[in-house]
Amino acid sequence: MNTLQLIATCPMGFEAVVARELKELGYTETRTENGRVLFEGDFGDICRTNLWLRTADRVLIKMGEFKALTFDELFEGVKALNWPDWIPADGEFPVEGKSYKSQLSSVPACQGIVKKAVVEKMKQKYHTEWFPEDGGRYVIEVALRNDIATLTLDTTGPSLHKRGYRQLVTEAPLKETMAAAIILLSRWRPERPLYDPFCGSGTFAIEAAMIGWNIAPGLRRKFTAEQWPIISNDLWDDAQDEAFDAVKDDIPLQISGSDIDPEAIEVAQAAAAKAGLAKEIDFHCLPAVKADIRGDYGCLITNPPYGERLGDEREAEKAVRQLGNIMRELPSWSVFALSPDKSFEHHYGRPAQKKRKLFNGRIECNLYQYLGPLPPFKKDIKE
């Protein structure tokens, strides 16, 4: 089979982070668009990227792209694509859709047309009028943007943020992909301390530990494409073996978190244990004002409470003021705080050196960055 056109989808604002991840995995030719990064690969690369991408939502196969101003054009364009090469006679193939600034604005109608066109193509291959759809799952998406239809197959299934280590959650938990992206945007390295004084279910701490030990985030979950006969089990096994061999669990970590809610700490500890990192992360039930921050040149990475999330705007503002007071006493530390509060800098006590707009779901946030000095460079001394 020819080289596949693949797409790593992601939240708006994370495209550069996903592109950097792909390049570090060896995919040097990438193209960034709104909410996605395009790259090329083969069957093995479907396995590898699903296992390794920390900040993407899904890995899609781009089946085709064409202009569609009418339903007839959409039908013929979809029917011309090679669906039977991928979908077996018993495959389940639901159709999802979205439309933006296009003549074909009715998403349900477009979904129906795509389904009908795929069925007609499948009939030509399998010589049957009925498909049971009781086999593997092949989710088709039709995305219309400015009258251009893009057809994809989803290889991932449930979003990549579902790592498999978090069974219980606190209220309004931060997605694992969002936490990983913020850690990658920070200047944290495994040799530096990391602390989260509003840790909730422990997502920042756990994701940092996985990055520090080079643990592929998809090792504890399954993917839709694992059910596809076209991708051999050997390729999945090879990708998993590569990921297991890459783990660096001999690196000492200085990662800790605290929260005022004892139930949140229990959830965080359970998630860390599920991830196999219980002994590497310290969680404590403490208010932010008593945060136990140790070491030099560390990174404080957090998602502070805000009025809507905490239920009390004044308490949220107080927590941020306390954080600002604490960090003034730790000049060697860097701070990365994700918040939708436009008054965050005022309550923190000083303006951020950098701000980056990010979307936590549909909530517009800023990543407020206060950059301390980097650790001094240590030369290896050889006798």
Side-chain angles (χ1 to χ4, degrees), residues 259-330:
D259 200 283
I260 197 171
D261 182 358
E263 292 185 4
I265 294 300
E266 289 182 9
V267 170
Q269 290 172 335
K274 182 75 172 176
L277 296 163
K279 295 181 179 180
E280 312 309 320
I281 306 171
D282 293 323
F283 288 114
H284 302 284
C285 186
L286 292 171
V289 70
K290 295 185 178 180
D292 186 20
I293 304 175
R294 301 179 183 182
D296 297 317
Y297 303 104
C299 289
L300 187 143
I301 303 178
T302 193
N303 179 208
Y306 50 91
E308 180 183 341
R309 174 176 151 211
L310 190 66
D312 187 326
E313 187 172 341
R314 284 178 295 180
E315 284 299 312
E317 293 172 359
K318 180 181 176 181
V320 173
R321 281 198 302 272
Q322 290 172 341
L323 178 62
N325 292 335
I326 291 168
M327 299 316 295
R328 270 191 288 275
E329 303 300 318
L330 297 165

